[in-house]
Amino acid sequence: MKKLLYQFDTDTLPSVFDNVVGYDGGADHISAYGGVNAENVGGLVEGAIFTRSPKDKKNTALFVGGSNMLQGEAVLSAIRAKFFAKFRVSIMFDCNGSNTTAAAAVAWLAHTRALTGKRAVVLAGSGPVGQRAAVLLAREGADVAVTGRKRAGIQAACDAIKARFGIDVEAIEAPTNSDRAVAIRGAHIVLAAGASGVTLLEAKQWQENPSLELIADANASPPAGIEGVGLSDRAASGPLGFGALKLALHRACIARLFEQNDLVLDAEEIYAIAKGMVGS
């Protein structure tokens, strides 16, 4: 029986990246839908849960993506509200790569070391990746702050983290590289979660910071989000690349969806898988 993955994207055009990795993760066929929201997803879900027999439902799975985290979470909630008894299929939630990227980054940062009591700053942290990374770092015991260009935006992100996960994260307004250099003073860990092509810190701004122990950059496209951090850096301290783990993790999660019909892979579940893969 074919492994069918239905890709529900809140954006008008479904992500090609998510589509490719879905196939690489083991799906035999992917149907990608754009413009999906909490109001229109119901009929799509019904088509997925009412067709195959209970023993075959594990061969149907759903993937929720898109660039808007709040809309994606609403879609996820609407999907789960349609499930009952054995009429359910497995779901992966990864809006804008938020869960897989954040999980891969924090898994490497926490690999073979304790983060308890460490000061961690997530640069450009108001987006999906930054928010998820802040949550995972805090759950590893770090004291977390996130920066953003505008106070209102970054405070809204921190409020969303508090509302969803019950975690307090400090909001720091830091619109310039110089402001971000100030924000990371005294920090042990820095993770850049900004948009591709935007340099958030110059090399000297972190290399001259004596408190820093670990640095990671979620931007895979040049120029680097943190100047001087390479994609494949693997120092015991200093720069740390995690792109390879992110891709492997995404593929592994897709494969996991087809093992049973009742999985929900969100931040915590994806992070647990990442911790089992890191360093292997």
Side-chain angles (χ1 to χ4, degrees):
M1 182 165 283
K2 298 293 186 182
K3 296 176 181 177
L4 304 180
L5 181 65
Y6 291 89
Q7 180 183 336
F8 298 157
D9 202 306
T10 59
D11 296 336
T12 303
L13 297 176
S15 166
V16 173
F17 181 98
D18 292 336
N19 196 270
V20 173
V21 181
Y23 278 111
D24 291 346
D28 294 315
H29 182 77
I30 300 175
S31 297
Y33 297 83
V36 177
N37 56 48
E39 287 70 43
N40 64 23
V41 75
L44 299 172
V45 176
E46 289 173 355
I49 64 175
F50 288 134
T51 45
R52 289 173 157 173
S53 67
K55 68 180 180 63
D56 291 327
K57 289 189 191 299
K58 68 179 182 180
N59 294 301
T60 302
L62 309 178
F63 178 94
V64 179
S67 60
N68 190 304
M69 176 74 82
L70 291 178
Q71 290 179 10
E73 289 180 337
V75 169
L76 177 63
S77 294
I79 291 171
R80 299 184 74 175
K82 283 288 184 179
F83 292 170
F84 65 97
K86 294 182 179 180
F87 292 91
R88 62 187 68 241
V89 296
S90 291
I91 320 168
M92 178 176 173
F93 179 79
D94 199 27
C95 276
N96 217 34
S98 55
N99 284 331
T100 50
T101 303
V106 178
W108 265 118
L109 291 168
H111 184 50
T112 71
R113 62 181 68 85
L115 302 188
T116 303
K118 299 291 185 181
R119 170 73 168 171
V121 177
V122 182
L123 303 177
S126 62
V129 174
Q131 288 187 44
R132 284 298 199 255
V135 170
L136 297 176
L137 285 165
R139 288 189 168 170
E140 286 286 353
D143 175 22
V144 183
V146 294
T147 75
R149 293 182 181 276
K150 296 182 179 180
R151 165 64 61 179
I154 197 63
Q155 188 59 59
C158 291
D159 292 344
I161 291 171
K162 176 69 172 179
R164 171 77 195 276
F165 298 100
I167 290 173
D168 290 308
V169 174
E170 179 185 358
I172 301 176
E173 184 178 28
T176 69
N177 285 15
S178 296
D179 292 328
R180 289 184 281 273
V182 173
I184 67 170
R185 289 177 183 170
H188 305 98
I189 299 164
V190 170
L191 170 63
S196 296
V198 179
T199 299
L200 301 172
L201 281 179
E202 298 166 14
K204 65 179 181 180
Q205 291 174 320
W206 64 267
Q207 290 172 351
E208 297 175 359
N209 187 330
S211 67
L212 283 182
E213 299 174 5
L214 293 166
I215 303 157
D217 183 4
N219 176 23
S221 303
I226 301 179
E227 188 179 47
V229 175
L231 293 175
S232 57
D233 289 337
R234 285 290 184 276
S237 61
L240 187 66
F242 57 90
L245 177 60
K246 183 266 188 289
L247 282 170
L249 174 62
H250 194 149
R251 291 191 292 264
C253 289
I254 294 293
R256 195 75 63 93
L257 294 176
F258 297 111
E259 294 178 357
Q260 58 194 79
N261 74 310
D262 57 357
L263 285 177
V264 178
L265 299 183
D266 200 344
E268 295 84 354
E269 295 80 8
I270 292 174
Y271 184 54
I273 296 170
K275 292 193 76 171
M277 296 174 63
V278 65
S280 61

